[in-house]
mmCIF file of all heavy atoms in Angstrom:
data_model
loop_
_atom_site.group_PDB
_atom_site.id
_atom_site.type_symbol
_atom_site.label_atom_id
_atom_site.label_comp_id
_atom_site.label_asym_id
_atom_site.label_seq_id
_atom_site.Cartn_x
_atom_site.Cartn_y
_atom_site.Cartn_z
ATOM 1 N N GLN A 68 88.857 93.691 93.030
ATOM 2 C CA GLN A 68 87.748 93.335 92.209
ATOM 3 C C GLN A 68 87.585 94.267 91.031
ATOM 4 O O GLN A 68 87.950 95.419 91.115
ATOM 5 C CB GLN A 68 86.482 93.353 93.073
ATOM 6 C CG GLN A 68 85.203 92.734 92.483
ATOM 7 C CD GLN A 68 84.064 92.679 93.444
ATOM 8 O OE1 GLN A 68 84.033 93.453 94.370
ATOM 9 N NE2 GLN A 68 83.167 91.741 93.229
ATOM 10 N N ALA A 69 87.002 93.735 89.936
ATOM 11 C CA ALA A 69 86.853 94.449 88.695
ATOM 12 C C ALA A 69 85.431 94.491 88.234
ATOM 13 O O ALA A 69 84.643 93.607 88.616
ATOM 14 C CB ALA A 69 87.721 93.938 87.635
ATOM 15 N N ALA A 70 85.038 95.480 87.427
ATOM 16 C CA ALA A 70 83.761 95.556 86.791
ATOM 17 C C ALA A 70 83.969 95.739 85.277
ATOM 18 O O ALA A 70 84.805 96.443 84.853
ATOM 19 C CB ALA A 70 82.984 96.755 87.383
ATOM 20 N N ALA A 71 83.112 95.061 84.494
ATOM 21 C CA ALA A 71 83.228 95.159 83.066
ATOM 22 C C ALA A 71 81.851 95.820 82.571
ATOM 23 O O ALA A 71 80.774 95.414 82.999
ATOM 24 C CB ALA A 71 83.341 93.832 82.391
ATOM 25 N N LEU A 72 82.009 96.859 81.763
ATOM 26 C CA LEU A 72 80.820 97.497 81.219
ATOM 27 C C LEU A 72 80.118 96.630 80.246
ATOM 28 O O LEU A 72 80.820 96.081 79.308
ATOM 29 C CB LEU A 72 81.338 98.845 80.568
ATOM 30 C CG LEU A 72 80.272 99.845 80.262
ATOM 31 C CD1 LEU A 72 79.430 100.241 81.469
ATOM 32 C CD2 LEU A 72 80.900 101.079 79.611
ATOM 33 N N ASP A 73 78.914 96.464 80.411
ATOM 34 C CA ASP A 73 78.131 95.445 79.550
ATOM 35 C C ASP A 73 78.174 95.796 78.042
ATOM 36 O O ASP A 73 78.289 94.856 77.260
ATOM 37 C CB ASP A 73 76.587 95.407 79.990
ATOM 38 C CG ASP A 73 76.485 94.674 81.323
ATOM 39 O OD1 ASP A 73 77.380 93.974 81.758
ATOM 40 O OD2 ASP A 73 75.371 94.767 81.934
ATOM 41 N N ASP A 74 78.039 97.000 77.708
ATOM 42 C CA ASP A 74 77.885 97.360 76.223
ATOM 43 C C ASP A 74 79.218 97.878 75.670
ATOM 44 O O ASP A 74 79.143 98.371 74.524
ATOM 45 C CB ASP A 74 76.786 98.381 76.077
ATOM 46 C CG ASP A 74 75.448 97.917 76.552
ATOM 47 O OD1 ASP A 74 75.214 96.680 76.465
ATOM 48 O OD2 ASP A 74 74.611 98.751 77.044
ATOM 49 N N LYS A 75 80.302 97.702 76.322
ATOM 50 C CA LYS A 75 81.569 98.378 75.824
ATOM 51 C C LYS A 75 82.707 97.441 76.337
ATOM 52 O O LYS A 75 82.646 96.931 77.439
ATOM 53 C CB LYS A 75 81.661 99.780 76.265
ATOM 54 C CG LYS A 75 82.863 100.477 75.675
ATOM 55 C CD LYS A 75 82.783 101.969 75.945
ATOM 56 C CE LYS A 75 83.932 102.730 75.516
ATOM 57 N NZ LYS A 75 84.164 102.894 74.131
ATOM 58 N N ASP A 76 83.779 97.416 75.603
ATOM 59 C CA ASP A 76 85.032 96.708 75.982
ATOM 60 C C ASP A 76 85.793 97.552 76.987
ATOM 61 O O ASP A 76 86.787 98.190 76.644
ATOM 62 C CB ASP A 76 85.838 96.330 74.770
ATOM 63 C CG ASP A 76 87.035 95.584 75.134
ATOM 64 O OD1 ASP A 76 87.048 94.786 76.032
ATOM 65 O OD2 ASP A 76 88.141 95.790 74.388
ATOM 66 N N LEU A 77 85.267 97.635 78.299
ATOM 67 C CA LEU A 77 85.915 98.486 79.281
ATOM 68 C C LEU A 77 85.881 97.753 80.585
ATOM 69 O O LEU A 77 84.845 97.254 80.994
ATOM 70 C CB LEU A 77 85.191 99.836 79.362
ATOM 71 C CG LEU A 77 85.805 100.772 80.360
ATOM 72 C CD1 LEU A 77 87.039 101.477 79.704
ATOM 73 C CD2 LEU A 77 84.851 101.867 80.766
ATOM 74 N N VAL A 78 87.023 97.673 81.239
ATOM 75 C CA VAL A 78 87.082 96.985 82.585
ATOM 76 C C VAL A 78 87.773 97.980 83.572
ATOM 77 O O VAL A 78 88.780 98.568 83.258
ATOM 78 C CB VAL A 78 87.899 95.677 82.488
ATOM 79 C CG1 VAL A 78 88.104 95.034 83.905
ATOM 80 C CG2 VAL A 78 87.243 94.760 81.532
ATOM 81 N N VAL A 79 87.187 98.138 84.718
ATOM 82 C CA VAL A 79 87.744 98.968 85.794
ATOM 83 C C VAL A 79 87.962 98.134 87.013
ATOM 84 O O VAL A 79 87.099 97.295 87.433
ATOM 85 C CB VAL A 79 86.666 100.092 86.164
ATOM 86 C CG1 VAL A 79 87.216 101.004 87.303
ATOM 87 C CG2 VAL A 79 86.347 100.964 85.018
ATOM 88 N N ARG A 80 89.152 98.210 87.592
ATOM 89 C CA ARG A 80 89.519 97.437 88.763
ATOM 90 C C ARG A 80 89.988 98.370 89.853
ATOM 91 O O ARG A 80 90.764 99.298 89.656
ATOM 92 C CB ARG A 80 90.660 96.475 88.420
ATOM 93 C CG ARG A 80 91.143 95.599 89.561
ATOM 94 C CD ARG A 80 92.208 94.563 89.170
ATOM 95 N NE ARG A 80 91.813 93.796 88.000
ATOM 96 C CZ ARG A 80 91.107 92.680 88.109
ATOM 97 N NH1 ARG A 80 90.646 92.250 89.284
ATOM 98 N NH2 ARG A 80 90.805 91.992 87.011
ATOM 99 N N PHE A 81 89.414 98.172 91.108
ATOM 100 C CA PHE A 81 89.873 98.891 92.264
ATOM 101 C C PHE A 81 91.111 98.151 92.755
ATOM 102 O O PHE A 81 91.120 97.098 93.259
ATOM 103 C CB PHE A 81 88.794 98.907 93.352
ATOM 104 C CG PHE A 81 89.178 99.377 94.682
ATOM 105 C CD1 PHE A 81 90.100 100.476 94.848
ATOM 106 C CD2 PHE A 81 88.649 98.830 95.817
ATOM 107 C CE1 PHE A 81 90.440 100.920 96.097
ATOM 108 C CE2 PHE A 81 89.071 99.301 97.055
ATOM 109 C CZ PHE A 81 89.895 100.346 97.213
ATOM 110 N N THR A 82 92.274 98.858 92.579
ATOM 111 C CA THR A 82 93.533 98.228 92.952
ATOM 112 C C THR A 82 94.003 98.468 94.379
ATOM 113 O O THR A 82 94.677 97.611 94.960
ATOM 114 C CB THR A 82 94.650 98.595 91.928
ATOM 115 O OG1 THR A 82 94.765 100.005 91.964
ATOM 116 C CG2 THR A 82 94.317 98.112 90.546
ATOM 117 N N ASP A 83 93.838 99.663 94.973
ATOM 118 C CA ASP A 83 94.478 99.989 96.233
ATOM 119 C C ASP A 83 93.898 101.290 96.814
ATOM 120 O O ASP A 83 93.485 102.219 96.116
ATOM 121 C CB ASP A 83 95.939 100.177 95.939
ATOM 122 C CG ASP A 83 96.778 100.156 97.220
ATOM 123 O OD1 ASP A 83 96.281 99.602 98.276
ATOM 124 O OD2 ASP A 83 97.927 100.647 97.198
ATOM 125 N N LEU A 84 93.902 101.313 98.115
ATOM 126 C CA LEU A 84 93.682 102.540 98.914
ATOM 127 C C LEU A 84 95.084 103.154 99.036
ATOM 128 O O LEU A 84 95.959 102.648 99.689
ATOM 129 C CB LEU A 84 93.094 102.252 100.281
ATOM 130 C CG LEU A 84 92.915 103.517 101.117
ATOM 131 C CD1 LEU A 84 91.843 104.387 100.714
ATOM 132 C CD2 LEU A 84 92.577 102.999 102.632
ATOM 133 N N VAL A 85 95.323 104.293 98.343
ATOM 134 C CA VAL A 85 96.606 104.946 98.306
ATOM 135 C C VAL A 85 96.887 105.742 99.585
ATOM 136 O O VAL A 85 97.982 105.666 100.195
ATOM 137 C CB VAL A 85 96.755 105.797 97.069
ATOM 138 C CG1 VAL A 85 98.081 106.536 97.053
ATOM 139 C CG2 VAL A 85 96.599 104.985 95.836
ATOM 140 N N ASP A 86 95.893 106.519 100.010
ATOM 141 C CA ASP A 86 95.995 107.300 101.225
ATOM 142 C C ASP A 86 94.655 107.567 101.839
ATOM 143 O O ASP A 86 93.609 107.511 101.087
ATOM 144 C CB ASP A 86 96.678 108.672 100.842
ATOM 145 C CG ASP A 86 97.188 109.434 102.071
ATOM 146 O OD1 ASP A 86 97.401 108.793 103.102
ATOM 147 O OD2 ASP A 86 97.381 110.627 101.923
ATOM 148 N N ASP A 87 94.654 107.756 103.128
ATOM 149 C CA ASP A 87 93.285 107.987 103.801
ATOM 150 C C ASP A 87 93.520 108.862 104.996
ATOM 151 O O ASP A 87 94.082 108.479 105.986
ATOM 152 C CB ASP A 87 92.708 106.632 104.254
ATOM 153 C CG ASP A 87 91.279 106.782 104.686
ATOM 154 O OD1 ASP A 87 90.695 107.847 104.679
ATOM 155 O OD2 ASP A 87 90.687 105.734 105.042
#
Side-chain angles (χ1 to χ4, degrees):
Q68 193 175 22
L72 194 55
D73 286 344
D74 299 330
K75 186 169 173 70
D76 182 30
L77 185 79
V78 177
V79 177
R80 181 177 306 277
F81 170 37
T82 57
D83 195 20
L84 175 70
V85 175
D86 195 19
D87 193 357

